[in-house]
């Protein structure tokens, strides 16, 4: 299943790379242009990904691979979304508050008891603020 | 001589030594915690060293690296779970010795032979590094291009279960390295009008994302626990320091393992985990009591611990003399060197020899540092295993994010870290090796610029890569490397 997904994603990426690189001049044999390598790489990724796709389809029909259902999807996706939201909200609100909320929610989502998460995230966010903001003088918001 | 004295005093500067000890302590803790690798430790701490002078920053990173590889063996011995992949082979005999009630001696052997391996690795760097760099100074564009190809081929050969996925991953990394200004004509490529992309993708945030955040996402997904073996806590260590007689009897195995570790470390892509496993296997063939291997053999443990630390010197030799990363950690270190304004490669040995000496002295000091504290803190470090997993995860996430931002005060770098982290998670999920991506990211620009320069110089004649002797040798080595590994993998897993 993983190989199938990966090969399909790589094929899509190689086509995108090919389209984008076609806007760049290719150059001539004794002076390859900026588009030469991108096109070469797009072509290689396409060929190899198609090969992987065929192999994965062949294996998939012979033997069903274990799916990804055994993983903790909800916790993982929640964490990814929380980090994304934190990055998106960078520069808005208060650094210490945003950081504390991010760390608290991730700890709760990943299985910590709320009071443990509260202490852990408060300690961490203040430590990070002091280390980077006060010692290294990093400009937050 | 003047360069050596300058480099020496840079290394033994009291502030550098303090940062070295700080790094050693951080590495000891991180290395003991299973799931937190030396690569992750160095990647996360790299931005923290941005505010330090190069010698202080390097001292910290070298301290972390050496001690993390050493302390990975502690959890391997006490709880049968390697703290870092480099200590996989140490579980074979280390935990068996613990079960026999010889945990203390096993920990002592880990300290002594990690030190011996580390020092022999540095010796290799001293002996081979300078002549290799001198030789590499004669390289032209064609040689540099084929050298990059050789680096990529070896990385693909040793990465993961699937060579095909390794090659695709390499090309994906290559494609990311194309972002920014074209190295020959200076025209924009894949910048989408973003000023931030003109200089290409920042390397350090990508590494932090792939090895820091991506690993955390995957650990959350895979329910990976710090201690999953159900091993009983060790209450009695017994004797810790090995006797002179024991050390002497283990020395031949250690010397062989160090040699194996150095050679494997010098091969781009093959890291300390492979060095430990190969040394354990090879030393079994020459051991006095091979039947004891896996049952609590002192020789087996000495072999694996010597090799994984000797590997660091080998990896550093290739990285510093040729600019090729020996493993994932040295790939991150290349980013750190560039951050300090030093480009690893033969020119560094010629124009900045004092910096090379600083690195060498710091490597020796890092080994002395963990030797000095190793006997006393080995058992104490396992206390960190009781830290809540969620706390460790959030610590890595926030240090990765803020550290990457802090280098350039750039919110765009935050986005890069997040995207790289997500990609790192996806690649782990699909069992795609990260090594080729990182290596291609570093070697991509070197390969492209030199191939195009070589073609311009030879007026479009591709034969230039096959008619120059060094270039031809490197092409042949690349082909051999790919062919042998393909055949080997076909034999073991049906050629996936």
């Amino acid at each position: 299943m993983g190989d199938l997904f990966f090969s399909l994603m790589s094929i899509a990426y190689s086509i995108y790379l090919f389209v984008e690189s076609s806007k760049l001049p290719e150059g001539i044999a004794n002076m390859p242009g900026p588009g030469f390598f991108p096109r070469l790489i797009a072509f290689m990724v396409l060929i190899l990904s198609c090969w992987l796709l065929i192999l994965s389809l062949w294996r998939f029909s012979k033997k069903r691979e274990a799916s990804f259902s055994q993983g903790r999807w909800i916790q993982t996706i929640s964490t990814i979304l929380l980090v994304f939201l934190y990055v998106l909200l960078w520069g808005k609100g208060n650094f210490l508050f945003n950081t504390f909320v991010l760390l608290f929610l991730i700890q709760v989502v990943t299985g910590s008891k709320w009071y443990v998460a509260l202490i852990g995230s408060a300690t961490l966010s203040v430590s990070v603020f002091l280390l980077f903001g006060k010692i290294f003088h990093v400009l937050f918001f | 001589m003047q360069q050596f004295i300058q480099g020496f005093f840079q290394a033994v500067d009291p502030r550098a030594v303090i940062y070295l000890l700080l790094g050693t302590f951080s590495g000891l803790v991180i290395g003991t915690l299973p799931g937190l690798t030396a690569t992750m430790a160095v990647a996360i701490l790299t931005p923290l060293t941005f505010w330090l002078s190069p010698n202080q920053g390097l001292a910290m990173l070298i301290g972390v690296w050496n001690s993390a590889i050493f302390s990975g063996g502690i959890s391997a011995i006490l709880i049968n779970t390697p703290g870092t992949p480099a200590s996989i082979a140490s579980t074979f005999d280390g935990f068996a010795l613990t079960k026999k009630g010889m945990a203390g001696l096993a920990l002592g052997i880990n300290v002594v032979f990690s030190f011996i391996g580390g020092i022999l690795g540095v010796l290799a760097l001293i002996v081979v590094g300078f002549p290799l760099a001198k030789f590499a100074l004669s390289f032209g564009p064609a040689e540099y291009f084929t050298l990059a190809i050789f680096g990529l081929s070896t990385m693909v050969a040793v990465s993961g279960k699937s060579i095909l996925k390794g090659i695709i991953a390499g090309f994906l990394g290559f494609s990311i390295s194309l972002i920014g200004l074209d190295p020959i004509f200076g025209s924009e490529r894949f910048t989408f009008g973003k000023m931030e992309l003109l200089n290409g993708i920042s390397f350090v945030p990508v590494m932090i994302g792939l090895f820091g955040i991506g690993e955390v996402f995957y650990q959350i997904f895979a329910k990976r626990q710090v201690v999953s073996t159900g091993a009983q806590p060790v209450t009695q260590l017994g004797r810790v320091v090995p006797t002179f007689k024991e050390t002497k009897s283990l020395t031949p195995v250690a010397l062989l393992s160090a040699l194996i570790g150095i050679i494997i470390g010098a091969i781009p892509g093959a890291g300390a985990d492979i060095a430990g496993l190969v040394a354990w296997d090879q030393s079994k063939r020459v051991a006095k009591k091979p039947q004891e291997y896996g049952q609590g053999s002192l020789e087996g443990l000495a072999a694996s611990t010597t090799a994984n630390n000797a590997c660091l010197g080998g990896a550093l030799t290739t990285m510093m003399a040729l600019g090729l990363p020996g493993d994932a950690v040295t790939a991150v270190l290349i980013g750190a060197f560039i951050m300090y304004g030093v480009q690893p490669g033969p020119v560094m040995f010629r124009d900045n020899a004092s910096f090379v000496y600083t690195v060498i002295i710091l490597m020796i000091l890092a080994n002395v540092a963990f030797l000095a504290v190793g006997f006393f803190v080995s058992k104490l470090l396992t206390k960190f295993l009781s830290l809540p997993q969620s706390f460790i995860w959030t610590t890595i996430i926030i240090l990765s994010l803020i550290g990457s931002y802090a280098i350039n005060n750039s919110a765009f770098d935050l986005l890069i870290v997040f995207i790289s982290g997500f990609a790192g998670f996806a690649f782990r999920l699909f069992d795609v090796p990260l090594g080729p991506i990182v290596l291609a990211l570093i070697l991509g620009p070197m390969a492209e610029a030199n191939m195009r320069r070589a073609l311009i110089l030879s007026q479009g004649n591709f034969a230039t890569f096959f008619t120059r002797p060094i270039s031809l040798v490197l092409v042949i080595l690349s082909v051999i490397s790919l062919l042998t590994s393909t055949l080997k993998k076909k034999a073991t897993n049906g050629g996936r």
Side-chain angles (χ1 to χ4, degrees):
Chain A
M1 185 69 88
D3 287 3
L4 193 68
F5 277 132
F6 178 62
S7 56
L8 288 172
M9 279 167 56
S10 301
I11 288 169
Y13 177 74
S14 67
I15 292 168
Y16 172 75
L17 193 65
F18 203 81
V19 170
E20 281 295 323
S21 60
S22 63
K23 295 171 189 165
L24 299 164
E26 194 178 1
I28 47 175
N30 59 355
M31 197 171 281
F36 175 74
F37 253 83
R39 250 171 274 190
L40 181 73
I41 288 166
F43 177 73
M44 292 305 294
V45 173
L46 184 66
I47 297 289
L48 295 168
S49 303
C50 285
W51 183 8
L52 182 65
L53 179 69
I54 293 164
L55 283 177
S56 59
L57 284 172
W58 169 251
R59 278 198 298 267
F60 196 65
S61 63
K62 278 169 74 179
K63 182 190 168 187
R64 296 259 163 182
E65 285 183 22
S67 68
F68 302 135
S69 61
Q70 289 156 348
R72 299 196 300 181
W73 277 112
I74 295 171
Q75 287 94 326
T76 313
I77 291 171
S78 306
T79 308
I80 291 171
L81 286 176
L82 282 168
V83 175
F84 182 59
L85 206 63
Y86 180 77
V87 171
L88 216 60
L89 291 174
W90 186 262
K92 297 178 182 73
N94 177 282
F95 169 76
L96 209 53
F97 176 76
N98 288 10
T99 306
F100 170 76
V101 172
L102 169 82
L103 301 180
F104 176 74
L105 289 177
I106 291 178
Q107 290 194 32
V108 170
V109 161
T110 53
S112 276
K113 291 191 172 70
W114 71 267
Y115 50 89
V116 176
L118 197 71
I119 298 165
S121 42
T123 314
L124 249 183
S125 43
V126 171
S127 307
V128 165
F129 178 72
L130 291 176
L131 178 68
F132 286 95
K134 299 295 170 191
I135 297 175
F136 295 143
H137 303 292
V138 173
L139 294 173
F140 294 125
F141 46 94
Chain B
M1 192 62 190
Q2 195 190 345
Q3 299 270 28
F4 173 76
I5 292 168
Q6 203 180 335
F8 178 81
F9 282 110
Q10 287 281 319
V12 298
D13 166 36
R15 279 168 297 182
V17 174
I18 290 170
Y19 283 110
L20 180 93
L21 293 174
L22 204 66
T24 301
F25 178 73
S26 311
L28 288 171
V29 175
I30 294 172
T32 309
L33 294 170
L36 307 189
T37 60
T39 313
M40 186 196 269
V42 176
I44 292 170
L45 289 176
T46 296
L48 286 176
T49 64
F50 178 69
W51 288 270
L52 309 176
S53 60
N55 62 326
Q56 295 165 11
L58 263 178
M60 191 160 173
L61 296 181
I62 286 174
V64 170
W65 185 28
N66 282 275
S67 58
I69 297 293
F70 149 71
S71 69
I74 297 171
S75 39
I77 290 164
L78 295 181
I79 59 169
N80 199 25
T81 308
T84 61
S87 301
I88 292 170
S90 299
T91 58
F92 303 160
D93 289 298
F95 189 60
L97 283 164
T98 296
K99 284 199 288 190
K100 285 181 179 176
M102 296 163 74
L105 185 59
L107 290 173
I109 283 175
N110 185 38
V111 175
V112 171
F113 287 92
S114 292
F115 171 76
I116 291 173
I119 293 296
L120 290 172
V122 180
L123 203 64
L125 170 62
I126 298 166
V127 173
V128 182
F130 282 89
L132 186 62
K134 200 174 173 186
F135 173 65
L137 276 172
S138 62
F139 284 12
E143 285 79 12
Y144 272 114
F145 168 68
T146 46
L147 181 66
I149 296 300
F150 171 63
L152 287 167
S153 71
T154 52
M155 175 62 108
V156 166
V158 296
S159 60
K161 298 170 197 160
S162 165
I163 289 180
L164 186 54
K165 280 200 278 188
I167 298 173
I168 296 173
F171 279 115
L172 292 179
F174 214 141
S175 71
I176 298 166
S177 76
L178 298 170
I179 296 170
L181 294 176
D182 170 57
I184 305 292
F185 297 111
S187 48
E188 288 183 32
R189 289 191 303 194
F190 313 112
T191 57
F192 310 105
K194 291 247 173 231
M195 284 288 288
E196 294 92 339
L197 289 175
L198 278 180
N199 286 328
I201 296 274
S202 307
F203 181 66
V204 175
V206 172
M207 298 295 292
I208 293 174
L210 285 174
F211 291 103
I213 293 194
E215 178 63 35
V216 170
F217 287 163
Y218 187 72
Q219 286 191 15
I220 293 171
F221 174 80
K223 305 178 206 174
R224 194 180 290 170
Q225 297 298 312
V226 166
V227 185
S228 56
T229 57
Q232 295 298 311
V234 180
T235 50
Q236 290 296 316
L237 281 183
R239 179 166 61 90
V240 176
V241 184
T243 60
F244 178 72
K245 197 180 166 191
E246 281 166 341
T247 310
K248 196 180 162 194
S249 70
L250 296 173
T251 302
V253 158
L255 290 175
L256 172 72
S257 304
L259 187 67
I260 291 170
I262 291 163
I263 292 169
I264 290 180
I267 297 170
D273 48 345
I274 297 171
L277 288 165
V278 173
W280 185 85
D281 186 53
Q282 291 301 314
S283 67
K284 194 177 174 181
R285 295 164 203 263
V286 296
K288 288 173 191 161
K289 297 172 185 170
Q291 71 281 3
E292 285 183 7
Y293 269 57
Q295 312 295 322
S297 161
L298 294 180
E299 286 176 300
L301 181 62
S304 59
T305 55
T306 309
N308 60 18
N309 274 73
C311 184
L312 310 192
L316 210 52
T317 306
T318 321
M319 186 272 250
M320 286 177 46
L322 299 175
L324 289 180
D327 59 7
V329 186
T330 40
V332 184
L333 280 176
I334 286 182
F337 272 49
I338 293 168
M339 196 173 78
Y340 303 139
V342 181
Q343 178 71 49
V347 178
M348 184 176 78
F349 280 74
R350 188 190 61 194
D351 298 346
N352 213 344
S354 65
F355 189 79
V356 177
Y357 288 119
T358 304
V359 174
I360 290 170
I361 306 289
L362 285 172
M363 283 291 288
I364 295 170
L365 290 179
N367 280 283
V368 174
F370 76 69
L371 176 73
V373 296
F375 287 116
F376 310 105
V377 299
S378 284
K379 197 191 169 197
L380 195 72
L381 285 167
T382 53
K383 301 280 180 206
F384 285 97
L385 294 171
S386 56
L387 277 174
Q389 188 79 37
S390 301
F391 182 76
I392 296 170
W393 286 333
T394 47
T395 307
I396 296 166
I397 287 176
I398 202 64
L399 282 179
S400 301
L401 289 172
I402 308 300
S404 306
Y405 167 79
I407 295 175
N408 298 315
N409 276 343
S410 162
F412 189 75
D413 282 351
L414 269 182
L415 198 63
I416 299 285
V417 173
F418 173 75
I419 294 170
S420 312
F422 183 75
F425 165 65
F427 287 140
R428 279 175 178 85
L429 204 61
F430 298 147
D431 209 8
V432 178
L434 295 178
I437 299 173
V438 174
L439 197 73
L441 206 57
I442 294 171
L443 296 180
M446 177 176 157
E448 184 191 9
N450 284 295
M451 183 196 177
R452 288 169 63 187
R453 274 191 206 116
L455 285 176
I456 290 169
L457 288 172
S458 65
Q459 296 180 325
N461 184 8
F462 277 87
T464 189
F465 302 114
F466 306 100
T467 49
R468 296 170 69 97
I470 299 169
S471 186
L472 179 65
V473 168
L474 288 166
V475 169
I476 292 169
L477 285 175
S478 306
V479 173
I480 290 172
S481 158
L482 276 175
L483 277 179
T484 50
S485 54
T486 308
L487 292 172
K488 202 174 170 185
K489 290 205 175 171
K490 262 195 170 180
T492 53
N493 62 5
R496 273 188 81 199

